[in-house]
Amino acid sequence: MDNIEKILSFIVEVEKLKNVHRQTKPVGLERFENSAEHSWHVCLTALMLKDYANDEIDINRVIKMLLIHDLGEIDAGDTIVYKSETHDVKAQETAGINRILSTLPGEMSKEFLELWYEFENGETADARFAKAIDRVTPLLHNIHGGGHSWKTHGITKEQVFSVNQRIEKGSKELWSVMRNKLEDAVNAGILE
Amino acid sequence: MDNIEKILSFIVEVEKLKNVHRQTKPVGLERFENSAEHSWHVCLTALMLKDYANDEIDINRVIKMLLIHDLGEIDAGDTIVYKSETHDVKAQETAGINRILSTLPGEMSKEFLELWYEFENGETADARFAKAIDRVTPLLHNIHGGGHSWKTHGITKEQVFSVNQRIEKGSKELWSVMRNKLEDAVNAGILE
Ligand SMILES: [Ca+2]
């Protein structure tokens, strides 16, 4: 198969991400979010909040990371962050991203796999910011949506503050604003 | 309201794009695509096909265009391309994008409105490529999905070839491949 046909097959294959359901509902909607529309939303969020990164970042690399960050879920499914950092979940996502990206022409496959590992490891400035942004939108869903996924999954305020404090590694300013919103959520009784 | 709060409100407001339904169904799904997941899909498609652009392009600007290109539909709704190029539809989308982007801090509002107009006008190399990519994914949906939206809307092969020939303005190579796929669709009887 020539390269353009390989890429078009990849483009059709990744549509499956539109059928991977997440744990939160978009503000105002009664259905769960899927990982494809989530990926768009975090790219746009990163773009609009780029000036709040702690360190100098390359927003174009951040957006590329976020465009592909969830592709491993096509095989692995989405797991709520409070339960996702286990060896098994990570191994499934890693196998998934390797399978999907290996369908691209060789050079591209390598380039995007490296970018995905950089995101996963979360050590570079770009990856820290991308990971911070990835935490913001589900918090907004819960804050504006009566804490629906916290309640469904029995997530406590201690878990929410502890897991989301990582936002600070990407943007202290953003974490300060989000922490205030979470404290408001506790005061409003939607996070216990 | 300070800037970070303005941006977070924008981020919540644009979620409404997840509830704007398009005219085609993603490959393998029984439901219609929404404009948010479509926006992700075209960004990823542009990124993967960037080397096939006719002219030198800035893929990062193309992706930014595609991230925001459909935001006007939050107020205007989506219209099938074969019927969308009327004065009324364009006026509604223009009013919509102006309303949405005006909620951002001033400088950003101006920057992204200019980018949206550049996309709409379709004259620069970046805009021509972005518009070409925006045509590719609904064609793939129809080609892999029995021509469902062509049939529903009574779209003829003459209309499909004439409207989508614009792909050529962004990428001759991509149009050549897509034209072959459309000819196969005619031969298979799913496009008449
Ligand atoms: Ca549209």
Side-chain angles (χ1 to χ4, degrees), chain B residues 22 35 38 69-70 73 77-79 84 93 134:
Chain B
R22 293 171 48 84
S35 291
H38 158 73
H69 81 292
D70 270 344
E73 294 181 0
D78 177 70
T79 315
S84 73
E93 284 183 12
D134 195 31

